[in-house]
Amino acid sequence: MITKSEFRDIIKEVALAYNVAPHCLLGRRRFDSYVAARQAAMAITHRRCGSLTTTAALFNRHHGAVSHAIGALSHRVAADKHAYKKWCQVRHLAVIPPPFNVADYQI
């Protein structure tokens, strides 16, 4: 599950990397720069929470739109070097950080 603060951080980081305003990722406009950033944010969010339905609800979309975004992003990244560079800047956000357990800490 993904928290709202984690979701906001993903939106902010992706918007910064793609040079768009964060509210544009949650909006309905279909300018190419907005779409590319939104698709990256959806793919990252889906990877973090693992559910198309949850990701769709966060973006106020249908789960089919999230599925399409993930596929479209993979095609975009494979075909366009500029898109690949942008994706490389944000793909680290898709990794779920391991929980820190104080009991496991050793010196």
Side-chain angles (χ1 to χ4, degrees), residues 3-107:
T3 65
K4 290 201 183 251
S5 65
E6 290 174 332
F7 178 65
R8 279 187 299 240
D9 291 342
I10 290 169
I11 294 297
K12 287 178 189 175
E13 291 285 332
V14 172
L16 182 66
Y18 280 80
N19 199 26
V20 297
H23 71 273
C24 296
L25 273 65
L26 300 173
R28 295 279 181 190
R29 300 194 101 181
R30 294 189 291 184
F31 295 123
D32 193 46
S33 59
Y34 295 176
V35 170
R38 188 179 302 125
Q39 288 174 347
M42 284 182 175
I44 291 166
T45 305
H46 176 260
R47 183 68 170 226
R48 294 284 297 270
C49 73
S51 167
L52 289 174
T53 307
T54 304
T55 303
L58 290 169
F59 283 90
N60 195 24
R61 299 284 200 285
H62 188 268
H63 70 274
V66 177
S67 180
H68 171 77
I70 293 166
L73 176 69
S74 66
H75 290 302
R76 183 186 304 264
V77 167
D80 184 12
K81 288 182 183 179
H82 182 69
Y84 178 74
K85 288 179 184 178
K86 295 275 189 186
W87 173 245
C88 286
Q89 292 176 0
V90 295
R91 68 181 174 188
H92 69 278
L93 298 170
V95 178
I96 300 170
F100 179 73
N101 189 350
V102 178
D104 291 340
Y105 184 74
Q106 296 180 3
I107 297 177

